[in-house]
């Protein structure tokens, strides 16, 4: 994403994406734009149903594109006193209208012509016209061209450095602790729990109900100690929150990216490909050994994304491990090769999330820009200057 310098040479026009005639042209640009460094996961997207998209053209040739969306999210929190004498303090979220830039692509044959910057400016115009107070984007910290475009030329500042954790889905099911019970929550139950426990988490979407009810959301799962509840005796989130809290619990939701995104490891050597294939051959020959055979990452494959990950209590990490094992088995049953998530670099539960370093990004980079005056629900000031918290809520619609 991005370009290294501005050298204008030809007239470039930017217009709205027309799904009836532009899909093939834009997908062609997607295919020739390598996303991600050599040896890492590369991403190929399905453009159908994007919230807003602009394309750049030189004559009749499509040479670039950009997508974006606007939503209301938590950007901070304030103390609210409640009760008869206003003595019971409660933290409540401060919301702001946030725009997100995603999918900026410029054809390799037309870079260093200012096309990327022109696309960003056009998208920002749409953001402002629709009341967005901030805009942000995500890129890899090693993507020098992208970072320079946004920070040096477009006025963005480095804001957060979450990590992307990806784990292979092996042919054998993961073992889950028999001391943990996993309960699938209804969307309404999940919404109650999320709003009660996570609404003050940075980037929490005000319309979390829409996320949980989206057709791509495969469910929300709660892990509690064995014997506390059974799936058939779950009292509901309201009673769960009103009653004595369990010593430990954890929560996660699963998003189906399989039909929307395709991943592929590019740039791997022939030796690495051969070694990976050898593990699969050995596993088929000796299945009782339960060898961790490496899936075929060198051709396009599907994945599941874990979001809304969190928990409380001294055994929260144990609960998260059980949920990750459950998510692994769900992905295995649905024919996916990877389970991925993105969390704050300071997330206390991060160490309990299984992942392969070679597939993961230890330091993603989010950059942010203030588009205008802040009209958030509360006295926030400038969000771009706020310190990071321990956790963030990654909206799966923007993955």
């Amino acid at each position: 994403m991005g370009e290294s310098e501005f050298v204008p040479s030809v007239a470039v026009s930017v217009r709205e994406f027309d799904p009836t005639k532009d899909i093939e042209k834009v997908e062609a640009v997607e295919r020739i734009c390598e996303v991600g460094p050599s040896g890492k996961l590369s991403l190929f997207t399905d453009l159908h149903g994007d919230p807003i998209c602009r394309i750049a053209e030189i004559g009749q040739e499509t040479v670039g594109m950009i997508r974006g969306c606007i939503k209301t999210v938590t950007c901070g929190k304030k103390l609210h006193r409640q009760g008869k004498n206003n003595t019971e303090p409660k933290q409540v979220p401060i919301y702001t209208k946030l725009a997100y830039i995603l999918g900026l692509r410029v054809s390799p044959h037309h870079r260093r012509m200012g096309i990327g910057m022109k696309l960003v400016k056009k998208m920002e115009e749409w953001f402002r016209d629709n009341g967005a107070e901030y805009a942000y984007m995500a890129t890899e910290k090693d993507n020098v061209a992208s970072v320079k475009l946004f920070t040096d030329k477009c006025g963005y500042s480095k804001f957060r450095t979450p990590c992307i954790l990806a784990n292979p889905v092996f042919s054998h099911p993961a073992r889950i602790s028999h001391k943990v019970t996993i309960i699938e929550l209804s969307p309404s139950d999940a919404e109650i729990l999320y709003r009660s426990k996570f609404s003050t988490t940075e980037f929490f979407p005000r319309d979390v109900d829409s996320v949980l009810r989206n057709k791509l959301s495969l469910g929300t799962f709660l892990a509690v100690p064995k014997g506390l509840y059974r799936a058939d005796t779950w009292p509901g989130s309201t009673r769960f929150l009103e009653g004595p809290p369990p010593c430990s619990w954890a929560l996660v939701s699963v998003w189906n990216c399989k039909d929307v995104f395709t991943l592929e490891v590019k740039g791997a050597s022939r030796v690495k490909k051969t070694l990976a294939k050898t593990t699969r051959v050995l596993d088929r020959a000796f299945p009782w050994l339960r060898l961790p055979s490496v899936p075929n990452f060198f051709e396009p494959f599907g994945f599941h994304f874990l979001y809304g990950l969190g928990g409380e209590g001294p055994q929260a990490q144990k609960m998260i491990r059980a949920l990750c094992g459950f998510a692994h088995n769900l992905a295995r049953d649905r024919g996916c090769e990877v389970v991925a998530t993105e969390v704050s670099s300071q997330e206390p539960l991060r160490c309990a999330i299984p992942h392969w370093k070679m597939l993961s990004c230890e330091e993603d980079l989010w950059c942010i820009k203030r588009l205008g005056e802040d009209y958030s629900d509360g006295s926030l000031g400038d969000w771009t200057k706020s310190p990071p918290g321990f956790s963030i809520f990654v909206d799966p619609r923007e993955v």
Side-chain angles (χ1 to χ4, degrees):
M1 177 157 49
E3 48 197 37
S4 58
E5 62 180 274
F6 176 56
V7 184
S9 57
V10 294
V12 179
S13 61
V14 177
R15 65 171 176 84
E16 188 174 349
F17 170 76
D18 184 347
T20 64
K21 64 179 182 180
D22 293 332
I23 285 181
E24 291 185 3
K25 297 178 182 179
V26 173
E27 287 181 343
V29 176
E30 282 270 358
R31 283 192 293 271
I32 63 174
C33 290
E34 185 171 325
V35 184
S38 177
K40 295 287 187 178
L41 295 177
S42 293
L43 178 66
F44 301 89
T45 62
D46 180 353
L47 297 173
H48 299 267
D50 280 338
I52 183 69
C53 182
R54 297 286 184 265
I55 64 173
E57 294 179 317
I58 297 178
Q60 299 297 313
E61 183 182 3
T62 299
V63 296
M65 62 181 178
I66 192 171
R67 286 164 287 169
C69 62
I70 299 175
K71 60 181 180 177
T72 301
V73 305
T74 297
C75 59
K77 53 191 175 185
K78 60 183 177 180
L79 196 63
H80 173 72
R81 296 191 178 278
Q82 57 184 359
K84 294 181 179 180
N85 299 316
N86 291 326
T87 58
E88 299 177 18
K90 178 184 179 182
Q91 289 184 337
V92 296
I94 300 174
Y95 291 107
T96 192
K97 204 167 184 180
L98 175 70
Y100 179 51
I101 292 177
L102 66 160
L104 174 58
R105 307 280 188 267
V106 176
S107 166
H109 308 298
H110 297 88
R111 291 175 182 170
R112 303 175 62 158
M113 296 169 60
I115 295 173
M117 187 164 65
K118 191 166 187 176
L119 285 166
V120 172
K121 295 300 182 184
K122 285 292 185 180
M123 186 59 71
E124 287 180 350
E125 288 179 13
W126 183 82
F127 291 158
R128 288 190 179 93
D129 291 343
N130 287 272
E133 297 157 18
Y134 297 90
Y136 86 110
M137 52 76 66
T139 188
E140 293 178 345
K141 68 170 185 177
D142 296 331
N143 190 336
V144 177
S146 179
V147 174
K148 288 185 66 176
L149 170 64
F150 280 91
T151 59
D152 292 356
K153 300 178 182 178
C154 296
Y156 287 71
S157 57
K158 297 178 182 180
F159 189 56
R160 300 290 183 258
T161 53
C163 50
I164 301 171
L165 305 178
N167 203 50
V169 174
F170 301 114
S171 59
H172 302 285
R175 292 189 172 99
I176 301 173
S177 173
H178 67 280
K179 296 182 180 180
V180 176
T181 297
I182 296 176
I183 300 167
E184 182 174 4
L185 304 181
S186 67
S188 58
D189 256 1
E191 180 186 353
I192 291 170
L193 205 49
Y194 274 122
R195 291 197 187 279
S196 174
K197 295 293 186 178
F198 299 94
S199 65
T200 57
T201 301
E202 201 172 40
F203 291 94
F204 181 85
R206 179 179 258 175
D207 66 337
V208 69
D209 54 319
S210 297
V211 180
L212 297 169
R213 288 173 171 80
N214 191 290
K215 64 180 181 180
L216 294 177
S217 191
L218 298 179
T220 300
F221 306 93
L222 174 71
V224 294
K226 191 77 170 181
L228 185 64
Y229 298 109
R230 297 200 315 267
D232 57 350
T233 62
W234 168 245
S237 292
T238 300
R239 291 185 60 186
F240 174 77
L241 293 167
E242 291 175 346
C247 59
S248 299
W249 60 272
L251 187 71
V252 74
S253 295
V254 183
W255 188 265
N256 176 25
C257 296
K258 183 180 179 182
D259 299 329
V260 183
F261 298 100
T262 301
L263 296 177
E264 181 180 355
V265 173
K266 304 191 74 175
S269 67
R270 183 177 298 179
V271 172
K272 290 182 178 178
K273 291 180 179 181
T274 301
L275 289 174
K277 185 176 181 179
T278 300
T279 66
R280 296 193 294 273
V281 171
L282 290 173
D283 187 35
R284 286 194 294 268
F286 309 102
W288 60 88
L289 294 178
R290 297 177 61 90
L291 297 173
S293 57
V294 181
N296 187 4
F297 295 136
F298 312 111
E299 294 181 0
F301 60 86
F303 74 104
H304 284 175
F305 183 78
L306 308 185
Y307 69 99
L309 183 148
E312 295 178 351
Q315 292 186 306
Q317 291 187 4
K318 178 179 179 179
M319 303 294 157
I320 285 293
R321 291 191 190 95
L323 287 171
C324 288
F326 179 88
H328 171 280
N329 295 343
L330 179 63
R332 173 180 173 271
D333 293 342
R334 295 179 61 89
C336 291
E337 304 288 3
V338 161
V339 174
T341 190
E342 187 166 14
V343 297
S344 168
S345 57
Q346 302 181 69
E347 171 60 56
L349 299 175
R350 173 184 169 182
C351 61
I353 302 171
H355 63 280
W356 273 18
K357 188 173 182 178
M358 66 168 290
L359 297 177
S360 303
C361 176
E362 291 296 322
E363 192 171 308
D364 200 19
L365 176 62
W366 291 7
C367 297
I368 196 169
K369 178 180 181 178
R370 192 175 186 180
L371 297 176
E373 292 300 321
D374 191 281
Y375 302 104
S376 56
D377 300 342
S379 178
L380 171 67
D382 188 350
W383 187 22
T384 66
K385 296 179 173 60
S386 64
F390 286 111
S391 301
I392 56 173
F393 192 103
V394 179
D395 193 326
R397 295 171 295 186
E398 298 175 356
V399 174

